[in-house]
């Protein structure tokens, strides 16, 4: 897996910080915290959620808004490492079977 780009790294660092401060957050909060443009942040957050770096945990309707926003939380490396270990065990058992 290649390393994260500048925008993705800034968003992930801000995601960890926001999660420690208040728990779940929207992509708008994440863009403001990381000082990344809204359009780039929105697209990158969607990609991060698809890649499993962020998890959708609910939705919220901010005061004065007509639109519901999705709330996210970061996935920490420990959980990803456990999933990777499970996958390696499956592949290893498959290789032993053949």
């Amino acid at each position: 897996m290649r390393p994260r780009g500048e925008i993705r790294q800034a968003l992930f660092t801000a995601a960890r910080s926001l999660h420690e401060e208040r728990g779940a957050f929207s992509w708008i909060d994440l863009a403001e915290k990381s000082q990344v443009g809204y359009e780039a942040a929105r697209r990158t957050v969607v990609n991060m959620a698809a890649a499993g770096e962020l998890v959708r945990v609910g939705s919220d309707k901010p005061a004065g808004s007509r639109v519901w926003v999705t709330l996210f939380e970061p996935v920490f490396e420990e959980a990803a490492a456990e999933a990777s270990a499970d996958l390696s065990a499956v592949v290893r058992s498959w290789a032993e079977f053949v």
Side-chain angles (χ1 to χ4, degrees):
M1 180 177 191
R2 67 179 216 196
R4 293 183 179 115
E6 293 175 356
I7 293 174
R8 200 173 194 135
Q9 182 62 42
L11 289 171
F12 192 74
T13 302
R16 290 182 132 196
S17 177
L18 278 173
H19 182 66
E20 290 175 4
E21 290 175 13
R22 59 182 174 187
F25 49 84
S26 69
W27 70 267
I28 298 167
D29 300 328
L30 195 57
E32 292 171 354
K33 177 77 174 180
S34 64
Q35 298 183 352
V36 171
Y38 287 121
E39 185 63 28
R42 185 182 62 79
R43 279 186 282 122
T44 306
V45 166
V46 168
N47 291 339
M48 290 173 72
E53 294 181 70
L54 295 176
V55 176
R56 292 176 175 95
V57 293
S59 59
D60 184 35
K61 186 174 178 184
S65 176
R66 289 185 273 164
V67 179
W68 287 83
V69 293
T70 304
L71 299 177
F72 297 94
E73 287 184 353
V75 174
F76 295 102
E77 283 80 23
E78 297 84 31
E82 289 176 13
S84 174
D86 293 341
L87 180 61
S88 66
V90 168
V91 171
R92 190 177 317 111
S93 67
W94 175 78
E96 290 172 357
F97 179 74
V98 173

